[in-house]
Amino acid sequence: MTSPLLVHQRVLAACKLRWGSLNTGTSLTLPPHWRLTGWPCVLAAGKKYQIDLPEVHEEDLDEQFVRGSGPGGQATNKTSNCVVLRHIPTGIVVKCHQTRSVDLNRKRAREILREKLEIAYKGEESELVKMKKESIQRKQDKRKKVNENIEKKRQFKEMLSADQEDDKC
Amino acid sequence: MFKTIWFLNRFMHRHSGVSKHKSVVRWWSSAAEGAVAPPAECSITAEQAIRLWTQHFTLHGISEPLLSSQYIISHVLGEKTLECVQRKRLRDTLTDRERESVWALCSKRLTRMPVQYVIEEWDFRDLTLKMKPPVFIPRPETEELVSLVLEDLRLMRGTDLRCLEVGCGSGAISLSLLRNIPQLRVFALDQSQTAVCLTMENANRLGLQDRLDVYHLDVIKDADAILSKCDPVDFLVSNPPYLHSQDMETLQTEILRFEDHSALDGGLDGLSVIRPILALSSKLLTQGGRVYLEVATCHPPVIQKLVEEMMPGLLYLETRCDLTNRPRFCVLQKKGEDD
């Protein structure tokens, strides 16, 4: 069984081949254990799919937290852990306050940024846009089918009651 | 109090969705701080409740009034943060039960009880932990301590590992490590029985109890007992009390009134618990085993000097900063036979 690192390295190589280098000659600086979980994407609806999302380089990011000027650490008890992430090359800004953990909000902010970058870079060809369109189409088809079924049942009932009327006569 | 009533009237006039506001105003005017009962027949939406309580918290000088209100009401609606609550839900009228719950919890916040104790839970990395006063509430910096340890251990996947956590509190560090390292066994200790119980409770809730042993022991008084129960370990991790005693009185009311002072007070120089931890680690660690500590921002050079002068068995490896760029973490290593 291949180790996760090797799989990830292969994905990375594939990404670089597809996307080219987004930056010249710089290497990934994300904390190592984040890289391993980097590439499955999380749509706003919370579903997970496996797509090749663009990698982001930490040096392209400007990250802000609300920390205040207090001493920090044990001396402070603040609950503000919203993360604001700005991708400098594109100007895309992501704000994440999905959880009460700074660490997790940072990770989620990066995942959301990668999704936004995918859509920004690829436009109509974006996997995410296609998936969204497919999902909307599926829902429309389902609704149409449900309505058709309701209509069929209604007609069937009408037919039945008409038959009963005939029988009475 | 008159200010509250005036404010409330203005609020009601502006947000005309609230019915029977006169009865609410009368009820509000008779409410004493920290003992506020919800109005019996009053319909209010989640959004309105957030605004109302934010204003009420602000009026009473409660810190983070908006955030407190948002966290509490989101929690009552079954979500962790406001961002997770559906927009539509915010405009729905609160059920009687929800409204009573919001009022009961927000009233607790009025007593300066930290939000984490009010809702009795908080998140630490990817875990949700039960919180219970006076057990110390995990701080965001400590999430980075765990990241640091995981980074180091990344290359040791596959080998069985043993770790000691000193001062486990709610179990945040131990449980995070256990969740992320399947082959890890943790010995956790705390000098507070309440903390020991809470760590065990959180371990059970997360299904991590099999690889965790929690002891009610004091690293200063019970060093021998610790050695006999836990020896040897591959690494030691701790967020020990590290505040200077003279700084204790300047702490926020939330901390002073509700959190265990012995989880914070590190004595005159803030090192009263750190010193015995370092002394213990040189006996307890396997060769090359590391110590990871969260400390006060002034400590790293002091600890480095202390170790170099007085602890020949330990090597000071590095100081790491937290997200606010303050020196926050010390990494040390037990010297090998040849060092």
Side-chain angles (χ1 to χ4, degrees):
Chain A
M1 190 173 129
T2 48
S3 80
L5 274 174
L6 282 175
V7 167
H8 174 77
Q9 281 168 352
R10 277 190 271 128
V11 169
L12 198 53
C15 279
K16 281 197 179 149
L17 211 63
R18 256 172 100 177
W19 304 98
S21 259
L22 292 177
N23 281 300
T24 49
T26 47
S27 56
L28 274 178
T29 53
L30 275 178
H33 65 277
W34 286 15
R35 283 188 238 154
L36 295 177
T37 55
W39 55 278
C41 94
V42 182
L43 292 175
K47 294 179 186 154
K48 282 189 171 35
Y49 300 87
Q50 284 186 340
I51 299 181
D52 287 338
L53 291 177
E55 295 290 330
V56 285
H57 301 255
E58 284 298 310
E59 54 276 18
D60 289 339
L61 300 178
D62 174 41
E63 199 170 23
Q64 301 289 331
F65 328 87
V66 177
R67 279 291 212 231
S69 53
Q74 288 171 1
T76 305
N77 183 7
K78 295 287 181 207
T79 58
S80 48
N81 46 40
C82 180
V83 173
V84 180
L85 199 59
R86 185 169 68 95
H87 186 242
I88 301 165
T90 59
I92 292 175
V93 178
V94 168
K95 193 174 167 189
C96 181
H97 196 194
Q98 286 179 14
T99 77
R100 301 171 296 210
S101 153
V102 173
D103 190 72
L104 207 54
N105 284 340
R106 294 182 74 204
K107 285 176 183 146
R108 295 258 174 105
R110 281 158 176 77
E111 283 169 2
I112 296 166
L113 177 64
R114 293 176 74 198
E115 287 172 12
K116 289 196 170 181
L117 285 177
E118 209 263 353
I119 295 168
Y121 287 145
K122 293 183 99 181
E124 285 297 307
E125 293 306 304
S126 150
E127 296 289 329
L128 281 165
V129 169
K130 281 182 193 165
M131 271 165 50
K132 182 85 190 183
K133 280 184 182 167
E134 275 170 31
S135 164
I136 292 171
Q137 188 60 46
R138 265 199 302 270
K139 280 186 186 155
Q140 280 176 349
D141 291 344
K142 192 176 176 185
R143 206 176 304 131
K144 191 177 169 192
K145 192 149 189 196
V146 164
N147 288 339
E148 280 171 8
N149 280 342
I150 289 171
E151 184 58 26
K152 276 183 193 163
K153 280 182 188 166
R154 192 187 63 79
Q155 286 175 351
F156 186 65
K157 275 187 186 162
E158 273 180 19
M159 205 172 71
L160 272 180
S161 61
D163 280 349
Q164 279 170 359
E165 288 288 330
D166 286 345
D167 285 343
K168 278 182 195 165
C169 299
Chain B
M1 202 41 78
F2 293 113
K3 202 172 166 187
T4 317
I5 301 165
W6 173 84
F7 215 8
L8 195 61
N9 261 314
R10 288 286 311 274
F11 175 83
M12 299 294 190
H13 282 296
R14 243 182 289 146
H15 307 281
S16 52
V18 183
S19 59
K20 300 191 180 175
H21 70 272
K22 282 192 180 135
S23 62
V24 173
V25 170
R26 238 183 291 123
W27 146 78
W28 199 279
S29 65
S30 65
E33 180 179 309
V36 182
E41 292 152 21
C42 167
S43 78
I44 188 169
T45 68
E47 245 173 9
Q48 288 165 342
I50 291 172
R51 272 200 289 267
L52 202 101
W53 276 103
T54 303
Q55 286 167 353
H56 202 51
F57 288 148
T58 311
L59 220 60
H60 284 86
I62 306 295
S63 64
E64 301 185 305
L66 177 63
L67 270 174
S68 301
S69 180
Q70 288 174 343
Y71 278 128
I72 291 172
I73 288 153
S74 301
H75 177 74
V76 168
L77 298 179
E79 300 292 347
K80 293 187 179 209
T81 64
L82 195 68
E83 198 170 289
C84 301
V85 181
Q86 289 181 352
R87 299 293 108 197
K88 189 190 166 298
R89 187 102 193 267
L90 286 176
R91 292 189 288 272
D92 288 341
T93 308
L94 293 175
T95 65
D96 288 346
R97 221 162 135 193
E98 284 169 351
R99 197 182 57 241
E100 280 165 19
S101 194
V102 166
W103 253 251
L105 296 179
C106 287
S107 301
K108 285 188 181 173
R109 182 71 186 110
L110 274 180
T111 68
R112 300 267 185 338
M113 183 182 273
V115 170
Q116 300 93 332
Y117 288 153
V118 169
I119 62 175
E120 294 179 337
E121 66 175 42
W122 204 243
D123 295 342
F124 184 82
R125 300 185 98 248
D126 50 355
L127 306 177
T128 300
L129 300 169
K130 181 173 174 186
M131 294 288 126
K132 186 178 169 188
V135 179
F136 179 78
I137 296 165
R139 306 299 201 246
E141 285 84 351
T142 316
E143 291 183 334
E144 298 174 64
L145 177 65
V146 172
S147 296
L148 197 59
V149 175
L150 289 176
E151 224 177 280
D152 258 7
L153 296 178
R154 184 173 52 99
L155 299 167
M156 291 172 77
R157 297 276 164 91
T159 34
D160 283 345
L161 290 167
R162 292 157 65 92
C163 141
L164 172 68
E165 186 193 351
V166 177
C168 50
S170 56
I173 297 175
S174 289
L175 296 172
S176 267
L177 292 174
L178 283 169
R179 172 59 71 85
N180 281 271
I181 308 172
Q183 72 277 22
L184 178 68
R185 179 165 197 89
V186 173
F187 301 94
L189 50 99
D190 205 288
Q191 50 83 41
S192 152
Q193 182 63 62
T194 324
V196 165
C197 292
L198 186 59
T199 295
M200 281 168 53
E201 187 176 350
N202 277 319
N204 285 319
R205 278 156 73 111
L206 295 168
L208 296 167
Q209 71 280 8
D210 293 340
R211 292 179 284 130
L212 174 69
D213 291 308
V214 194
Y215 299 111
H216 180 209
L217 290 170
D218 184 324
V219 73
I220 299 171
K221 299 176 198 153
D222 306 320
D224 290 333
I226 298 168
L227 280 168
S228 70
K229 286 192 197 306
C230 312
D231 195 23
V233 294
D234 298 295
F235 67 95
L236 190 154
V237 64
S238 183
N239 176 24
Y242 56 67
L243 299 182
H244 294 66
S245 297
Q246 70 258 30
D247 294 333
M248 291 291 294
E249 57 193 27
T250 59
L251 294 176
Q252 291 164 245
T253 315
E254 276 82 0
I255 301 176
L256 274 178
R257 209 180 267 182
F258 293 94
E259 283 189 290
D260 185 358
H261 290 202
S262 57
L264 296 154
D265 194 337
L268 214 57
D269 57 4
L271 296 172
S272 66
V273 182
I274 290 172
R275 253 190 235 95
I277 290 176
L278 293 172
L280 182 70
S281 58
S282 59
K283 295 179 198 149
L284 205 59
L285 286 169
T286 52
Q287 272 180 37
R290 291 188 178 177
V291 184
Y292 302 88
L293 295 177
E294 180 181 323
V295 298
T297 52
C298 61
H299 280 157
V302 180
I303 292 173
Q304 183 162 6
K305 192 158 178 271
L306 168 77
V307 162
E308 280 163 8
E309 287 173 6
M310 308 206 8
M311 297 191 180
L314 284 180
L315 179 68
Y316 191 92
L317 279 188
E318 61 170 341
T319 305
R320 297 285 287 263
C321 290
D322 64 26
L323 284 172
T324 63
N325 260 327
R326 288 187 269 220
R328 182 62 73 188
F329 309 110
C330 299
V331 186
L332 303 98
Q333 187 163 339
K334 173 155 177 180
K335 287 179 183 170
E337 298 271 298
D338 312 321
D339 291 324

